[in-house]
Amino acid sequence: TRKRQRYVEKDGKCNVQHGNVRETYRYLTDIFTTLVDLKWRFSLLVFILAYAITWLFFGLIWWFIAYCRGDLDHLEDHAWTPCVNNLNGFVSAFLFSIETETTIGYGHRVITDKCPEGIVLLLLQAILGSMVNAFMVGCMFVKISQPNKRAETLVFSSHAVVSLRDDRLCLMFRVGDLRDSHIVEASIRAKLIKSKQTQEGEFIPLDQTDLSVGFETGDDRLFLVSPLIISHEIDERSPFWDVSRHQLEKDDFEIVVILEGMVEAT
C-alpha cells in the first residue's frame, strides 16, 4: 500500500500552507482573529507584553510629569504638594501605573487635585486599560473556547466501505459522539478532493465535488445521540458512477467529511 499525501489529516488539520503571500498587512487589519489563530506560546507572549508595555509606558509618563514639576526635588519638603504622593522615582511611578490600571489602590501612592495633567493622564490610562483588558480577555476566552478539544471526542470509522444497502450501491462510513453533552443541530457533508481536467484543457489540481449524504431528504441533519451510519448513494449523479472497483483502488482522490454543530453546554 503506497502512502498518499493527505489534503486533510485524520485529526482535521489541513495540510495546506500559504506561500508567497505578499499582502501580509491584511493579517494586521483583523488583528483579533490573527491573535486567536496564533499558537498558545505566542498568544501568552502577546498577552504579557500588552500589559507590561502599557504599564511601563504610563509609568514613564508619570515619572516624567513628576520630574518636570520638580516633585523629585522636593521629596522631603512637606509644604510641597506633588502630583502623586510618595512617588520618589521611576520604580514607584511604575508601581503607581500598575495600581492605576489594575484598580488595586493600595493607598500609599495617590494623585492629588493640584495636578491637572495628572488627572488627564489618569483618565487616559483608565480608558486605555479597560480597552486592553477587554481585548486581551476576549481573545483568551475565544481561544480557550475553541472546539479543537471537543472534536477529539467525535469518532469516525477508520475505513469507508462500498456495499449494497436496500439493493442500492452505497458508500458508507460511521460517526459517533463519545460525550454525554449533545451536539445541537449537527449537520454533515462530504467533499471529493480530486484532480480534474476540464473540456477546455484546464487542469484543476484540487477540485472539490459535493458528495450527497442526504441533503435533498434532510438526512444530513443528525441527531447524534448514538453512532450513525452515513450513506452516499452511488447513482447517476454521483462522481463514482463511472468508476470501477479496480479503478477505485488505483485512483488518487480523497474524501473529506465535515461535521458541524453547536455544543449545548457552551
Side-chain angles (χ1 to χ4, degrees):
T1 304
R2 64 187 181 92
K3 183 177 178 58
R4 297 178 178 178
Q5 185 177 6
R6 298 182 60 91
Y7 184 69
V8 178
E9 293 290 348
K10 287 284 189 178
D11 57 359
K13 294 181 180 179
C14 295
N15 281 332
V16 179
Q17 295 182 355
H18 299 284
N20 197 24
V21 179
R22 299 179 180 179
E23 298 179 350
T24 55
Y25 68 90
R26 295 182 180 271
Y27 293 105
L28 298 178
T29 57
D30 188 12
I31 187 65
F32 185 83
T33 306
T34 301
L35 291 177
V36 171
D37 290 340
L38 288 177
K39 295 182 179 179
W40 266 109
R41 55 180 177 269
F42 298 116
S43 295
L44 292 176
L45 179 62
V46 173
F47 187 86
I48 294 172
L49 288 178
Y51 284 102
I53 291 174
T54 53
W55 293 340
L56 286 170
F57 175 73
F58 282 101
L60 182 63
I61 298 179
W62 284 114
W63 174 84
F64 183 74
I65 291 176
Y67 176 80
C68 293
R69 292 182 81 255
D71 295 343
L72 301 179
D73 299 328
H74 298 80
L75 297 178
E76 303 299 332
D77 188 358
H78 298 287
W80 180 267
T81 302
C83 183
V84 179
N85 288 328
N86 300 305
L87 194 151
N88 53 19
F90 177 74
V91 175
S92 59
F94 175 69
L95 294 175
F96 179 73
S97 175
I98 296 177
E99 294 172 18
T100 301
E101 191 165 329
T102 57
T103 64
I104 294 177
Y106 289 119
H108 183 65
R109 280 172 290 270
V110 59
I111 190 172
T112 63
D113 57 355
K114 304 298 182 179
C115 184
E117 61 272 24
I119 296 175
V120 173
L121 181 60
L122 180 68
L123 294 175
L124 289 176
Q125 187 171 5
I127 295 173
L128 184 61
S130 299
M131 295 174 61
V132 171
N133 285 333
F135 188 85
M136 298 310 302
V137 173
C139 178
M140 285 295 136
F141 175 78
V142 173
K143 195 168 183 64
I144 292 173
S145 60
Q146 283 183 327
N148 298 337
K149 300 301 180 182
R150 179 63 176 88
E152 293 183 0
T153 54
L154 290 171
V155 181
F156 288 85
S157 54
S158 301
H159 300 88
V161 297
V162 178
S163 179
L164 288 174
R165 196 180 202 192
D166 293 332
D167 204 25
R168 297 175 181 176
L169 203 61
C170 298
L171 171 70
M172 294 176 288
F173 58 91
R174 206 174 191 191
V175 59
D177 189 7
L178 301 180
R179 287 191 178 274
D180 294 332
S181 58
H182 302 313
I183 295 181
V184 183
E185 296 186 4
S187 62
I188 196 166
R189 50 199 176 98
K191 293 280 187 180
L192 175 66
I193 311 296
K194 184 180 179 181
S195 300
K196 174 184 176 181
Q197 189 167 5
T198 63
Q199 297 179 358
E200 294 77 15
E202 179 187 3
F203 179 74
I204 304 176
L206 294 173
D207 183 63
Q208 300 184 12
T209 305
D210 277 323
L211 295 180
S212 176
V213 288
F215 177 77
E216 297 83 359
T217 59
D219 291 337
D220 63 324
R221 314 293 293 184
L222 306 180
F223 185 48
L224 200 61
V225 295
S226 62
L228 298 176
I229 297 178
I230 311 301
S231 176
H232 164 68
E233 182 179 346
I234 303 178
D235 53 11
E236 293 84 353
R237 297 173 298 175
S238 173
F240 297 116
W241 178 250
D242 297 326
V243 180
S244 65
R245 176 178 178 179
H246 180 69
Q247 185 179 357
L248 194 66
E249 295 175 351
K250 298 178 61 178
D251 209 352
D252 191 9
F253 66 91
E254 184 174 343
I255 298 175
V256 178
V257 179
I258 305 166
L259 177 64
E260 297 175 308
M262 296 181 292
V263 180
E264 63 176 358
T266 59

